[in-house]
Structures are given as C-alpha cells and as structure tokens.
C-alpha cells in the first residue's frame, strides 16, 4: 500500500514544522502565538524528544539549533519557568 504524504508535507511546510536541516529548526510562529496550553504541549513534545534529567534532577534538553533553544527558553520563561541556556 502506497500512501500519499503530500497533504501532510504541505501542512508541515505551511505551519513551519518542516525544516531543511536540524540546525534550521525553530519554534513555529503559530506555537509562539498560541495559548499557554498549546505552548506547554509543544514544549512537552520537545522535552520528550530531546530531553533528560540533569544530575541535580532538573529537566534539560539538547538540540543542535541555537535558535530553537533560545525560542524554547523564551516560551518557558513566558510560562513562569526558570531557564538557563548553555552553549
């Protein structure tokens, strides 16, 4: 069975969820403009995909895209979470 993924690809591209490289990854504009529940769901997915617990038990995530890290930090601050960005 062959599936046509064209509608999915169009959806991802339209919403800024499809990037050419990992280094170009960023938080989609629609997520940045969304209510806190949507922002929280996006961040949960990000931590699920790239997160772990730091030695002192704090959640952390590691990504290669500096822009994604900084935008995620901004979202976390907006939700009232303390943040540290290590380069």
């Amino acid at each position: 069975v062959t599936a046509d993924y064209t509608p999915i690809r169009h959806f991802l591209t339209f919403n800024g969820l499809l990037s050419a490289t990992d280094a170009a990854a960023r938080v989609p504009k629609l997520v940045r403009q969304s209510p806190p529940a949507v922002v929280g769901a996006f961040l949960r997915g990000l931590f699920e995909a790239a997160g772990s617990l730091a030695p002192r038990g704090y959640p952390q995530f590691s990504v290669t895209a500096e822009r994604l890290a900084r935008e995620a930090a901004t979202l976390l601050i907006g939700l009232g979470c303390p943040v540290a960005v290590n380069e």
Side-chain angles (χ1 to χ4, degrees), residues 1-86:
V1 176
T2 304
D4 180 11
Y5 294 105
T6 302
I8 295 171
R9 181 171 294 282
H10 288 306
F11 173 82
L12 294 173
T13 302
F14 178 78
N15 289 293
L17 299 170
L18 192 64
S19 64
T21 64
D22 288 343
R26 59 177 297 181
V27 175
K29 183 177 180 180
L30 288 174
V31 172
R32 293 191 316 265
Q33 297 174 340
S34 293
V38 174
V39 171
F42 177 83
L43 290 170
R44 277 190 299 278
L46 181 61
F47 276 91
E48 179 103 11
S52 63
L53 288 179
R56 292 189 173 182
Y58 295 105
Q60 65 181 7
F61 70 94
S62 178
V63 294
T64 58
E66 183 179 338
R67 185 173 186 170
L68 174 61
R70 296 213 177 273
E71 289 178 348
T74 300
L75 293 178
L76 286 163
I77 291 167
L79 294 176
C81 300
V83 173
V85 177
N86 300 321

